Amino acid sequence: MKPSSSTTPAPSVPEDGTGALSGRAGLFNGIAAYSMWGLVPLFWPLLKPAGAGEILAHRMVWSLAVVGVALLVLRRWNWAAELIRRPARLGLVTVAAAVITVNWGLYIWSVNNNHVVEASLGYFINPLVTIAMGVLLLKERLRPVQWAAVGTGLAAVLVLAFGYGQPPWISLVLAFSFATYGLVKKKVNLGGVESLAAETAIQFLPALGFLLWLGSRGEATFGTEGGGHAVLLALTGVVTAVPLVCFGAAAIRVPLSTLGLLQYLAPVFQFVLGILYFKEEMPPERWAGFGLVWLALALLTWDAFRTAHRNRARAAELAAQLPKPAPDEAAASVEAAPGPETVAATAPEDPAPRS
């Protein structure tokens, strides 16, 4: 609500626990999002005898339907016109759609072909690949511990390649495709629902064309395997959108460091499912490779917490060094400060599009 005058005092921090409730809600949504992503391997086998290509196409088509309904309810369409007017940005969204298509398709194929453990490895090493891409593409500088983590991750890949008899290509493609997707999405800077809507809008026609082609060849399972199977295929849109909505709710309520830790829930669940539910083999060399990956992630996590602690301590030290105004001067500065309406009227326009 707009304040009635520029002298309206700023609202104080609520003392009724509202902030704590919001934080708990954010944590719950974050756990829910990553848990659903971790447990989704249980869903894809239910869609057999549909192949990975058909499942992927249905996921694209029904995801657009789900996010379209969400946008109608939220009445958030301004971003679409802005995106169309910026071809370069639309091109990045197209790249993101292509990369996530590879990621989704390979992941579904991996789960339905007994490679759940190898798929989980891809999401374990994704943070290491993201860091490596930052160095190679964005010329970022790493701290010594980060270098050690990347080196440990590279050693893990070599150990796993020896164990598999070939590079763990499923893990590597999943990790690199998702890291590329994250890099492109950072450049695009769209909200979660809006980004998914734009990407699935680009995927929609090719996906629908593929489904029609399958139908013309008599190879489509939608409508030929019973109503229950058709409903499950339609639910791929819900399975895609609901975790994203929960993630969006978490991202605005919990610290980034908390989200960084929660992201490991998904591959942990996938790894456990691969061993206990899908009964995939774990020979000693695979355990050794995973152990090195987990060591690298532990180094990254420890370094992130240490750096955050140092930054907070440095900020507190700088704040303590600032001269404190006398009481009369502080009161005068409060009276002379512009109100929120004045600040809004004189602030420059935000170049970022509003969703």
Side-chain angles (χ1 to χ4, degrees):
M1 181 181 294
K2 201 172 184 179
S4 57
S5 68
S6 61
T7 58
T8 302
S12 59
V13 177
E15 299 179 359
D16 57 357
T18 304
L21 288 175
S22 177
R24 284 195 291 270
L27 184 62
F28 173 80
N29 277 283
I31 293 173
Y34 284 108
S35 297
M36 283 186 280
W37 281 325
L39 296 174
V40 77
L42 296 173
F43 179 69
W44 304 129
L46 300 178
L47 304 180
K48 293 179 179 180
E54 184 180 2
I55 296 172
L56 174 63
H58 276 286
R59 185 177 188 178
M60 295 172 178
V61 169
W62 294 107
S63 293
L64 181 60
V66 172
V67 295
V69 171
L71 290 172
L72 281 174
V73 172
L74 297 174
R75 297 181 181 179
R76 283 156 52 175
W77 295 104
N78 293 339
W79 60 272
E82 177 67 21
L83 181 62
I84 294 173
R85 288 195 296 265
R86 298 174 64 177
R89 200 172 183 214
L90 185 59
L92 287 175
V93 174
T94 304
V95 172
V99 173
I100 202 60
T101 297
V102 173
N103 187 274
W104 284 357
L106 180 57
Y107 182 71
I108 295 169
W109 180 89
S110 301
V111 171
N112 285 355
N113 286 273
N114 302 316
H115 294 287
V116 178
V117 169
E118 193 172 351
S120 74
L121 176 64
Y123 295 106
F124 273 126
I125 67 176
N126 176 68
L128 301 172
V129 173
T130 300
I131 289 176
M133 291 179 66
V135 174
L136 297 175
L137 301 179
L138 304 179
K139 308 302 180 183
E140 296 178 353
R141 299 178 62 183
L142 299 186
R143 295 182 291 273
V145 176
Q146 291 176 313
W147 276 116
V150 172
T152 304
L154 178 59
V157 171
L158 295 176
V159 169
L160 289 166
F162 175 79
Y164 283 111
Q166 62 180 3
W169 66 271
I170 293 175
S171 306
L172 294 174
V173 172
L174 287 175
F176 274 92
S177 60
F178 201 73
T180 303
Y181 177 67
L183 179 65
V184 174
K185 280 179 69 71
K186 185 176 180 180
K187 296 289 185 182
V188 173
N189 192 27
L190 270 179
V193 176
E194 293 85 352
S195 179
L196 182 62
E199 292 158 18
T200 51
I202 292 171
Q203 296 167 332
F204 179 80
L205 288 179
L208 182 61
F210 177 74
L211 291 176
L212 293 175
W213 176 76
L214 280 181
S216 68
R217 293 169 55 90
E219 298 176 4
T221 63
F222 187 83
T224 64
E225 295 291 329
H229 181 73
V231 170
L232 287 174
L233 284 174
L235 285 176
T236 55
V238 178
V239 169
T240 300
V242 171
L244 183 63
V245 172
C246 291
F247 175 80
I252 61 175
R253 290 178 173 88
V254 299
L256 189 60
S257 58
T258 303
L259 281 180
L261 289 177
L262 290 178
Q263 73 173 327
Y264 298 128
L265 281 177
V268 165
F269 283 156
Q270 294 164 12
F271 177 77
V272 172
L273 285 175
I275 296 176
L276 299 182
Y277 182 80
F278 294 98
K279 306 298 182 181
E280 295 185 13
E281 294 183 359
M282 280 294 292
E285 57 271 17
R286 188 178 288 188
W287 278 112
F290 270 84
L292 287 173
V293 169
W294 295 332
L295 174 60
L297 295 178
L299 289 173
L300 282 182
T301 303
W302 173 74
D303 181 69
F305 275 107
R306 183 185 64 166
T307 302
H309 177 73
R310 286 182 176 178
N311 290 341
R312 286 194 297 267
R314 180 59 177 164
E317 181 182 345
L318 292 175
Q321 293 175 357
L322 293 175
K324 296 182 179 180
D328 292 342
E329 294 177 356
S333 64
V334 170
E335 293 176 359
E341 291 182 350
T342 306
V343 172
T346 58
E349 184 179 355
D350 186 356
R354 295 297 181 186
S355 55

